[in-house]
Coordinates of all heavy atoms in Angstrom, one line a residue:
M234 N 0.8 -1.2 0.0 CA 0.0 0.0 0.0 C 0.9 1.2 0.0 O 1.9 1.3 0.7 CB -0.9 0.0 1.2 CG -1.8 1.2 1.3 SD -2.8 1.2 2.8 CE -4.0 -0.1 2.5
S235 N 0.5 2.2 -0.8 CA 1.3 3.4 -0.9 C 1.0 4.3 0.3 O -0.1 4.3 0.9 CB 1.1 4.2 -2.2 OG -0.3 4.6 -2.2
K236 N 2.0 5.1 0.7 CA 1.8 6.1 1.8 C 1.8 7.5 1.2 O 2.5 7.8 0.3 CB 2.9 5.9 2.8 CG 2.9 4.6 3.5 CD 3.9 4.5 4.5 CE 3.9 3.1 5.1 NZ 4.9 2.9 6.2
K237 N 1.0 8.3 1.8 CA 0.9 9.7 1.4 C 2.1 10.5 2.1 O 2.3 10.4 3.3 CB -0.4 10.3 1.9 CG -0.6 11.7 1.5 CD -2.0 12.2 1.9 CE -2.2 13.7 1.5 NZ -3.4 14.2 1.9
A238 N 2.7 11.3 1.2 CA 3.9 12.1 1.7 C 3.3 13.2 2.7 O 2.3 13.8 2.4 CB 4.6 12.7 0.6
K239 N 4.0 13.4 3.8 CA 3.6 14.4 4.7 C 4.8 15.3 5.0 O 5.9 14.9 5.0 CB 3.2 13.8 6.0 CG 1.9 12.9 5.9 CD 1.5 12.4 7.3 CE 0.2 11.6 7.1 NZ -0.2 11.1 8.4
G240 N 4.5 16.6 5.1 CA 5.5 17.5 5.3 C 4.9 19.0 5.3 O 3.7 19.2 5.3
V241 N 5.9 19.9 5.3 CA 5.5 21.3 5.4 C 6.2 22.0 4.2 O 7.4 21.8 4.0 CB 5.9 21.9 6.7 CG1 5.7 23.4 6.8 CG2 5.2 21.2 7.9
I242 N 5.5 22.9 3.6 CA 6.1 23.8 2.6 C 6.3 25.1 3.2 O 5.3 25.7 3.6 CB 5.2 23.9 1.3 CG1 5.1 22.5 0.6 CG2 5.8 24.9 0.3 CD1 4.2 22.5 -0.6
S243 N 7.5 25.6 3.2 CA 7.7 27.0 3.7 C 8.2 27.8 2.5 O 8.4 27.3 1.4 CB 8.8 27.0 4.7 OG 10.0 26.5 4.2
N244 N 8.2 29.1 2.6 CA 8.5 30.0 1.5 C 9.2 31.3 1.9 O 9.2 31.6 3.1 CB 7.2 30.3 0.7 CG 6.3 31.2 1.4 OD1 6.5 32.4 1.6 ND2 5.2 30.6 2.0
Q245 N 9.8 31.9 1.0 CA 10.5 33.1 1.2 C 9.8 34.3 0.5 O 10.4 35.3 0.1 CB 11.9 33.0 0.6 CG 12.7 31.9 1.2 CD 13.0 32.1 2.7 OE1 13.3 33.2 3.2 NE2 12.7 31.1 3.5
L246 N 8.5 34.1 0.3 CA 7.7 35.1 -0.5 C 7.8 36.5 0.1 O 8.0 37.5 -0.6 CB 6.3 34.6 -0.7 CG 5.4 35.3 -1.7 CD1 6.0 35.4 -3.0 CD2 4.1 34.6 -1.7
R247 N 7.5 36.6 1.4 CA 7.5 38.0 2.0 C 8.9 38.6 1.8 O 9.0 39.8 1.5 CB 7.2 37.8 3.5 CG 7.0 39.2 4.2 CD 6.5 39.0 5.6 NE 6.1 40.3 6.2 CZ 7.0 41.1 6.8 NH1 8.2 40.7 7.0 NH2 6.6 42.2 7.4
K248 N 10.0 37.9 2.1 CA 11.3 38.4 1.9 C 11.6 38.9 0.5 O 12.1 39.9 0.3 CB 12.3 37.3 2.3 CG 13.8 37.7 2.1 CD 14.7 36.5 2.4 CE 16.1 36.9 2.1 NZ 17.0 35.7 2.1
K249 N 11.1 38.1 -0.5 CA 11.4 38.4 -1.9 C 10.6 39.7 -2.3 O 11.0 40.5 -3.0 CB 11.0 37.3 -2.8 CG 11.9 36.1 -2.7 CD 13.3 36.3 -3.2 CE 14.1 35.1 -3.2 NZ 15.5 35.4 -3.6
R250 N 9.4 39.8 -1.7 CA 8.6 41.0 -2.0 C 9.3 42.3 -1.5 O 9.4 43.3 -2.2 CB 7.2 41.0 -1.3 CG 6.2 40.2 -1.9 CD 4.8 40.4 -1.4 NE 4.6 40.3 0.0 CZ 4.5 41.3 0.9 NH1 4.5 42.5 0.5 NH2 4.3 41.0 2.2
F251 N 9.9 42.2 -0.3 CA 10.6 43.4 0.2 C 11.9 43.7 -0.5 O 12.3 44.8 -0.6 CB 10.8 43.2 1.7 CG 9.5 43.6 2.5 CD1 8.6 42.6 2.8 CD2 9.3 44.9 2.9 CE1 7.5 42.9 3.5 CE2 8.1 45.2 3.5 CZ 7.2 44.2 3.9
E252 N 12.5 42.6 -1.0 CA 13.7 42.8 -1.8 C 13.4 43.4 -3.2 O 14.3 44.0 -3.8 CB 14.4 41.5 -2.0 CG 15.1 40.9 -0.7 CD 15.7 39.5 -0.9 OE1 15.5 38.9 -2.0 OE2 16.3 39.1 0.0
K253 N 12.2 43.3 -3.6 CA 11.8 43.8 -4.9 C 11.0 45.1 -4.7 O 9.8 45.3 -4.9 CB 10.9 42.8 -5.7 CG 10.6 43.2 -7.1 CD 10.0 42.1 -7.9 CE 9.8 42.4 -9.3 NZ 11.0 42.4 -10.1
D254 N 11.8 46.1 -4.3 CA 11.2 47.5 -4.1 C 10.0 47.5 -3.1 O 9.1 48.3 -3.3 CB 10.9 48.1 -5.4 CG 12.1 48.3 -6.3 OD1 13.2 48.5 -5.8 OD2 11.9 48.1 -7.5
E255 N 10.1 46.7 -2.1 CA 9.0 46.6 -1.1 C 7.6 46.5 -1.7 O 6.7 47.1 -1.4 CB 9.1 47.8 -0.1 CG 10.4 47.8 0.7 CD 10.4 48.9 1.7 OE1 9.4 49.6 2.0 OE2 11.5 49.1 2.3
M256 N 7.5 45.5 -2.6 CA 6.3 45.2 -3.3 C 5.2 44.8 -2.3 O 5.5 44.1 -1.4 CB 6.5 44.1 -4.3 CG 5.3 43.6 -5.0 SD 5.6 42.1 -6.1 CE 6.0 43.0 -7.6
T257 N 4.0 45.4 -2.5 CA 2.9 45.0 -1.5 C 2.3 43.7 -2.0 O 2.4 43.3 -3.1 CB 1.9 46.1 -1.5 OG1 1.2 46.2 -2.8 CG2 2.5 47.5 -1.2
Q258 N 1.5 43.2 -1.0 CA 0.8 42.0 -1.4 C -0.2 42.2 -2.5 O -0.4 41.4 -3.4 CB 0.0 41.4 -0.1 CG 0.9 40.8 0.9 CD 0.1 40.3 2.1 OE1 -1.0 40.8 2.4 NE2 0.7 39.4 2.9
Q259 N -0.8 43.4 -2.5 CA -1.8 43.8 -3.5 C -1.1 43.9 -4.9 O -1.7 43.4 -5.8 CB -2.5 45.1 -3.1 CG -3.6 45.5 -4.1 CD -4.7 44.5 -4.1 OE1 -5.2 44.0 -3.0 NE2 -5.2 44.1 -5.2
E260 N 0.1 44.5 -4.9 CA 0.8 44.6 -6.2 C 1.1 43.2 -6.8 O 1.0 43.0 -8.0 CB 2.0 45.4 -6.0 CG 1.8 46.9 -5.8 CD 3.0 47.7 -5.3 OE1 3.9 47.1 -4.7 OE2 3.0 48.9 -5.6
L261 N 1.6 42.3 -5.9 CA 1.9 41.0 -6.3 C 0.7 40.2 -6.8 O 0.7 39.6 -7.8 CB 2.6 40.2 -5.2 CG 3.1 38.8 -5.5 CD1 3.9 38.8 -6.7 CD2 3.8 38.2 -4.3
A262 N -0.4 40.4 -6.0 CA -1.7 39.7 -6.4 C -2.1 40.2 -7.7 O -2.5 39.3 -8.6 CB -2.7 40.0 -5.3
K263 N -2.1 41.4 -8.0 CA -2.5 42.0 -9.3 C -1.6 41.4 -10.4 O -2.1 41.0 -11.5 CB -2.4 43.5 -9.3 CG -2.9 44.1 -10.6 CD -2.9 45.6 -10.5 CE -3.5 46.2 -11.8 NZ -3.5 47.7 -11.7
A264 N -0.3 41.3 -10.2 CA 0.6 40.8 -11.2 C 0.3 39.3 -11.5 O 0.5 38.8 -12.6 CB 2.1 41.0 -10.8
L265 N -0.2 38.6 -10.5 CA -0.4 37.2 -10.7 C -1.9 36.9 -11.1 O -2.2 35.8 -11.5 CB -0.2 36.4 -9.3 CG 1.3 36.2 -8.9 CD1 1.3 35.7 -7.5 CD2 1.9 35.3 -9.9
G266 N -2.8 37.8 -10.9 CA -4.2 37.6 -11.2 C -4.9 36.8 -10.1 O -5.8 36.0 -10.4
V267 N -4.4 37.0 -8.8 CA -5.1 36.4 -7.7 C -5.4 37.5 -6.7 O -5.2 38.7 -6.9 CB -4.1 35.4 -7.0 CG1 -3.8 34.2 -8.0 CG2 -2.9 36.0 -6.5
T268 N -6.1 37.1 -5.6 CA -6.4 38.1 -4.6 C -5.3 38.3 -3.6 O -4.4 37.5 -3.5 CB -7.7 37.6 -3.8 OG1 -7.3 36.5 -3.0 CG2 -8.8 37.4 -4.7
R269 N -5.3 39.5 -2.9 CA -4.4 39.8 -1.9 C -4.4 38.7 -0.8 O -3.4 38.3 -0.2 CB -4.6 41.2 -1.3 CG -3.5 41.6 -0.3 CD -3.9 42.7 0.6 NE -5.1 42.3 1.4 CZ -5.1 41.5 2.5 NH1 -4.0 40.9 2.9 NH2 -6.2 41.2 3.2
Q270 N -5.6 38.2 -0.5 CA -5.8 37.2 0.5 C -5.1 35.9 0.2 O -4.6 35.2 1.0 CB -7.3 36.9 0.7 CG -8.1 38.1 1.4 CD -8.5 39.2 0.5 OE1 -8.2 39.2 -0.7 NE2 -9.3 40.1 1.0
T271 N -5.0 35.6 -1.1 CA -4.3 34.4 -1.6 C -2.8 34.6 -1.3 O -2.2 33.7 -0.8 CB -4.5 34.2 -3.1 OG1 -5.9 33.9 -3.3 CG2 -3.7 33.0 -3.6
I272 N -2.3 35.8 -1.5 CA -0.9 36.0 -1.3 C -0.6 35.9 0.2 O 0.4 35.3 0.7 CB -0.4 37.4 -1.8 CG1 -0.6 37.5 -3.3 CG2 1.0 37.7 -1.4 CD1 0.1 36.5 -4.1
A273 N -1.5 36.5 1.0 CA -1.3 36.5 2.5 C -1.3 35.0 3.0 O -0.5 34.6 3.8 CB -2.4 37.3 3.2
A274 N -2.2 34.2 2.4 CA -2.3 32.8 2.8 C -1.1 32.0 2.4 O -0.6 31.2 3.2 CB -3.6 32.2 2.2
I275 N -0.6 32.3 1.3 CA 0.7 31.6 0.8 C 1.8 32.0 1.8 O 2.5 31.1 2.2 CB 1.0 31.9 -0.6 CG1 0.0 31.3 -1.6 CG2 2.4 31.4 -1.0 CD1 0.1 31.8 -3.0
E276 N 2.0 33.3 2.0 CA 3.0 33.7 2.9 C 2.9 33.1 4.3 O 3.9 32.8 4.9 CB 3.0 35.2 3.0 CG 3.5 35.9 1.8 CD 3.6 37.4 2.0 OE1 3.3 38.0 3.1 OE2 4.0 38.1 1.0
A277 N 1.7 32.9 4.8 CA 1.5 32.4 6.1 C 1.6 30.9 6.2 O 1.5 30.3 7.3 CB 0.1 32.8 6.6
G278 N 1.8 30.2 5.0 CA 1.9 28.8 5.0 C 0.5 28.1 5.1 O 0.5 26.9 5.4
K279 N -0.6 28.8 4.9 CA -1.9 28.2 5.1 C -2.4 27.7 3.8 O -3.4 27.0 3.7 CB -2.9 29.3 5.6 CG -2.6 29.7 7.0 CD -3.5 30.8 7.5 CE -3.2 31.2 8.9 NZ -4.1 32.3 9.4
Y280 N -1.7 28.0 2.7 CA -2.1 27.6 1.3 C -0.9 27.4 0.5 O 0.0 28.2 0.5 CB -3.0 28.7 0.8 CG -3.4 28.5 -0.7 CD1 -4.4 27.6 -1.0 CD2 -2.8 29.3 -1.7 CE1 -4.7 27.4 -2.4 CE2 -3.2 29.1 -3.0 CZ -4.2 28.2 -3.3 OH -4.5 28.0 -4.6
S281 N -0.9 26.3 -0.3 CA 0.2 26.1 -1.2 C -0.3 26.5 -2.6 O -1.4 26.0 -3.1 CB 0.6 24.6 -1.2 OG 1.1 24.2 0.0
P282 N 0.5 27.3 -3.3 CA 0.0 27.7 -4.7 C 0.1 26.6 -5.7 O 0.8 25.6 -5.5 CB 1.0 28.8 -5.0 CG 2.3 28.4 -4.3 CD 1.8 27.8 -3.0
S283 N -0.7 26.8 -6.8 CA -0.6 25.8 -7.9 C 0.8 25.9 -8.5 O 1.5 26.9 -8.3 CB -1.7 26.2 -8.9 OG -1.3 27.4 -9.5
L284 N 1.1 24.9 -9.3 CA 2.4 25.0 -10.0 C 2.5 26.2 -10.9 O 3.6 26.9 -11.0 CB 2.7 23.7 -10.8 CG 3.1 22.5 -10.0 CD1 3.1 21.3 -10.9 CD2 4.4 22.7 -9.4
E285 N 1.4 26.5 -11.5 CA 1.4 27.7 -12.4 C 1.7 29.0 -11.7 O 2.6 29.7 -12.1 CB 0.0 27.8 -13.1 CG -0.1 29.0 -14.1 CD -1.4 29.1 -14.7 OE1 -2.3 28.3 -14.5 OE2 -1.6 30.0 -15.5
V286 N 1.1 29.2 -10.5 CA 1.3 30.4 -9.7 C 2.8 30.3 -9.2 O 3.5 31.3 -9.2 CB 0.3 30.5 -8.6 CG1 0.7 31.6 -7.6 CG2 -1.1 30.8 -9.1
A287 N 3.2 29.2 -8.7 CA 4.6 29.1 -8.2 C 5.6 29.4 -9.3 O 6.6 30.2 -9.0 CB 4.9 27.6 -7.7
F288 N 5.5 28.9 -10.5 CA 6.4 29.3 -11.6 C 6.3 30.7 -12.0 O 7.3 31.4 -12.3 CB 6.2 28.3 -12.8 CG 6.9 27.0 -12.5 CD1 6.1 25.9 -12.5 CD2 8.2 26.9 -12.4 CE1 6.7 24.6 -12.3 CE2 8.8 25.6 -12.2 CZ 8.0 24.5 -12.1
C289 N 5.1 31.3 -12.0 CA 4.9 32.7 -12.2 C 5.7 33.6 -11.2 O 6.3 34.6 -11.5 CB 3.5 33.1 -12.3 SG 2.6 32.6 -13.8
L290 N 5.6 33.1 -9.9 CA 6.4 33.8 -8.9 C 7.9 33.8 -9.1 O 8.5 34.8 -8.9 CB 6.0 33.2 -7.5 CG 4.7 33.5 -6.9 CD1 4.3 32.6 -5.8 CD2 4.6 35.0 -6.5
T291 N 8.4 32.7 -9.6 CA 9.8 32.6 -9.9 C 10.2 33.6 -11.0 O 11.3 34.2 -10.9 CB 10.3 31.2 -10.3 OG1 9.7 30.8 -11.5 CG2 10.0 30.2 -9.1
D292 N 9.3 33.8 -11.9 CA 9.6 34.8 -13.0 C 9.5 36.2 -12.5 O 10.4 37.0 -12.8 CB 8.5 34.6 -14.1 CG 8.7 33.4 -15.0 OD1 9.8 32.8 -14.9 OD2 7.8 33.0 -15.7
I293 N 8.5 36.5 -11.6 CA 8.4 37.8 -11.1 C 9.6 38.2 -10.2 O 10.2 39.3 -10.3 CB 7.1 38.0 -10.2 CG1 5.9 37.9 -11.2 CG2 7.1 39.2 -9.4 CD1 4.6 37.8 -10.4
F294 N 10.1 37.2 -9.4 CA 11.2 37.5 -8.5 C 12.6 37.1 -9.1 O 13.6 37.2 -8.4 CB 11.0 36.8 -7.2 CG 9.8 37.4 -6.5 CD1 8.7 36.6 -6.2 CD2 9.8 38.7 -6.1 CE1 7.6 37.2 -5.5 CE2 8.7 39.3 -5.4 CZ 7.6 38.5 -5.1
D295 N 12.6 36.6 -10.3 CA 13.8 36.2 -11.0 C 14.6 35.3 -10.1 O 15.8 35.6 -9.8 CB 14.6 37.4 -11.5 CG 15.8 37.0 -12.4 OD1 15.6 36.0 -13.1 OD2 16.8 37.7 -12.4
T296 N 14.0 34.2 -9.7 CA 14.7 33.3 -8.8 C 14.3 31.8 -9.1 O 13.4 31.6 -9.9 CB 14.3 33.6 -7.3 OG1 15.1 32.8 -6.4 CG2 12.8 33.3 -7.0
Q297 N 14.9 30.9 -8.5 CA 14.6 29.5 -8.7 C 13.5 29.0 -7.8 O 13.4 29.6 -6.7 CB 15.9 28.6 -8.5 CG 17.0 28.9 -9.4 CD 16.7 28.6 -10.9 OE1 16.2 27.5 -11.1 NE2 17.0 29.5 -11.8
L298 N 12.8 28.0 -8.2 CA 11.7 27.5 -7.4 C 12.2 27.1 -6.0 O 11.5 27.4 -5.0 CB 11.0 26.3 -8.1 CG 9.7 25.9 -7.5 CD1 8.7 27.0 -7.6 CD2 9.2 24.7 -8.3
D299 N 13.3 26.4 -5.9 CA 13.8 25.9 -4.6 C 14.4 27.1 -3.7 O 14.6 26.8 -2.5 CB 14.8 24.8 -4.7 CG 16.1 25.2 -5.5 OD1 16.1 26.2 -6.1 OD2 17.0 24.4 -5.4
E300 N 14.6 28.2 -4.3 CA 14.9 29.4 -3.5 C 13.7 30.1 -2.9 O 13.8 30.7 -1.9 CB 15.7 30.4 -4.3 CG 17.1 29.9 -4.7 CD 17.9 30.9 -5.5 OE1 17.6 32.1 -5.5 OE2 18.8 30.5 -6.2
L301 N 12.6 29.9 -3.5 CA 11.3 30.5 -3.1 C 10.5 29.6 -2.2 O 9.9 30.1 -1.2 CB 10.5 30.9 -4.3 CG 9.3 31.9 -4.1 CD1 9.8 33.1 -3.4 CD2 8.7 32.2 -5.5
F302 N 10.5 28.3 -2.5 CA 9.7 27.3 -1.7 C 10.7 26.2 -1.3 O 11.5 25.8 -2.0 CB 8.6 26.7 -2.6 CG 7.6 27.7 -2.9 CD1 7.6 28.4 -4.2 CD2 6.5 28.1 -2.1 CE1 6.6 29.3 -4.5 CE2 5.6 29.0 -2.4 CZ 5.6 29.6 -3.6
Q303 N 10.4 25.8 0.0 CA 11.2 24.7 0.6 C 10.2 23.6 1.1 O 9.2 23.9 1.7 CB 12.1 25.1 1.7 CG 13.2 26.1 1.3 CD 12.6 27.6 1.2 OE1 11.8 28.0 2.0 NE2 13.0 28.3 0.2
W304 N 10.6 22.3 0.9 CA 9.8 21.2 1.4 C 10.6 20.6 2.6 O 11.8 20.2 2.5 CB 9.6 20.2 0.3 CG 9.0 18.9 0.8 CD1 9.7 17.7 1.0 CD2 7.7 18.6 1.1 NE1 8.8 16.8 1.5 CE2 7.6 17.3 1.5 CE3 6.5 19.4 1.1 CZ2 6.4 16.7 1.9 CZ3 5.3 18.8 1.5 CH2 5.3 17.5 1.9
Q305 N 9.9 20.4 3.7 CA 10.5 19.7 4.8 C 9.6 18.5 5.2 O 8.4 18.7 5.6 CB 10.7 20.6 6.1 CG 11.3 19.9 7.2 CD 11.8 20.8 8.3 OE1 11.8 22.0 8.1 NE2 12.2 20.2 9.4
A306 N 10.1 17.3 4.9 CA 9.3 16.1 5.2 C 9.1 15.9 6.7 O 10.0 16.2 7.5 CB 10.0 14.9 4.5
N307 N 8.0 15.4 7.0 CA 7.7 15.0 8.4 C 8.0 13.5 8.5 O 7.3 12.7 8.1 CB 6.2 15.3 8.7 CG 5.9 15.0 10.1 OD1 6.7 14.5 10.9 ND2 4.7 15.3 10.5
D308 N 9.2 13.2 9.1 CA 9.7 11.9 9.2 C 9.1 11.1 10.4 O 9.3 9.9 10.6 CB 11.2 11.8 9.3 CG 11.8 12.3 8.1 OD1 11.2 12.1 7.0 OD2 12.9 12.9 8.1
S309 N 8.3 11.8 11.2 CA 7.8 11.1 12.4 C 6.8 9.9 12.1 O 6.7 9.0 12.9 CB 7.1 12.1 13.4 OG 5.9 12.6 12.7
D310 N 6.2 10.0 11.0 CA 5.3 8.9 10.6 C 5.9 7.9 9.6 O 5.2 7.0 9.1 CB 4.0 9.5 9.9 CG 3.2 10.3 10.9 OD1 3.2 9.9 12.1 OD2 2.5 11.2 10.5
A311 N 7.2 8.1 9.3 CA 7.8 7.2 8.3 C 7.9 5.8 8.8 O 8.1 5.5 10.0 CB 9.2 7.8 8.0
D312 N 7.8 4.9 7.9 CA 7.9 3.5 8.1 C 6.9 2.9 9.1 O 7.2 1.8 9.7 CB 9.4 3.1 8.5 CG 10.4 3.5 7.5 OD1 10.0 3.3 6.3 OD2 11.4 4.0 7.8
K313 N 5.8 3.5 9.4 CA 4.8 2.9 10.2 C 3.9 2.1 9.3 O 3.6 2.4 8.2 CB 3.9 4.0 10.9 CG 4.6 4.7 12.0 CD 3.6 5.6 12.7 CE 4.3 6.3 13.9 NZ 3.3 7.2 14.5
D314 N 3.5 0.9 9.9 CA 2.6 0.0 9.1 C 1.2 0.0 9.7 O 0.9 0.2 10.8 CB 3.2 -1.4 9.2 CG 4.4 -1.5 8.4 OD1 4.5 -0.9 7.3 OD2 5.3 -2.3 8.8

C-alpha cells in the first residue's frame, strides 16, 4: 500500500517582496491575477500555490523555485505500518 507524503512547505515570498522594491501583497496579487488574501495565505503557509502560480512567482522575482519554496518532510510517521 502506498503512503501519502507528509510535510511542510515553507516559503521566502515575503522576503522576496521586500527585496523587490518593497512590493505590496496587493501589487503581487495583481501581477499574478489572484487576490491579496491568496498572497497572504501563501506567505503564512496556510495555502500552497498551484504549480502555475509558483512558476509565475519565480519569473516575477527572477529566482529558482527551490529558493522561493522549501519542502520539509515530516519523518515522524515514516515506516509505520
Side-chain angles (χ1 to χ4, degrees):
M234 182 185 285
S235 66
K236 295 182 181 182
K237 184 177 179 182
K239 294 183 181 180
V241 176
I242 297 175
S243 60
N244 68 76
Q245 302 298 314
L246 191 53
R247 186 172 190 273
K248 177 183 173 189
K249 293 291 185 184
R250 280 194 305 104
F251 280 91
E252 289 174 353
K253 190 167 180 80
D254 300 324
E255 297 186 10
M256 177 185 269
T257 67
Q258 288 180 339
Q259 186 63 45
E260 290 168 334
L261 180 56
K263 185 176 180 181
L265 286 171
V267 300
T268 65
R269 187 202 58 78
Q270 290 84 352
T271 297
I272 300 302
I275 293 170
E276 286 185 4
K279 295 179 181 179
Y280 174 74
S281 296
S283 67
L284 282 174
E285 181 180 359
V286 169
F288 282 115
C289 286
L290 286 166
T291 64
D292 287 343
I293 290 169
F294 295 116
D295 192 30
T296 190
Q297 298 294 314
L298 192 61
D299 63 344
E300 291 179 21
L301 194 54
F302 295 97
Q303 300 80 40
W304 169 258
Q305 183 166 349
N307 182 354
D308 293 330
S309 65
D310 293 331
D312 299 322
K313 285 188 177 179
D314 290 323

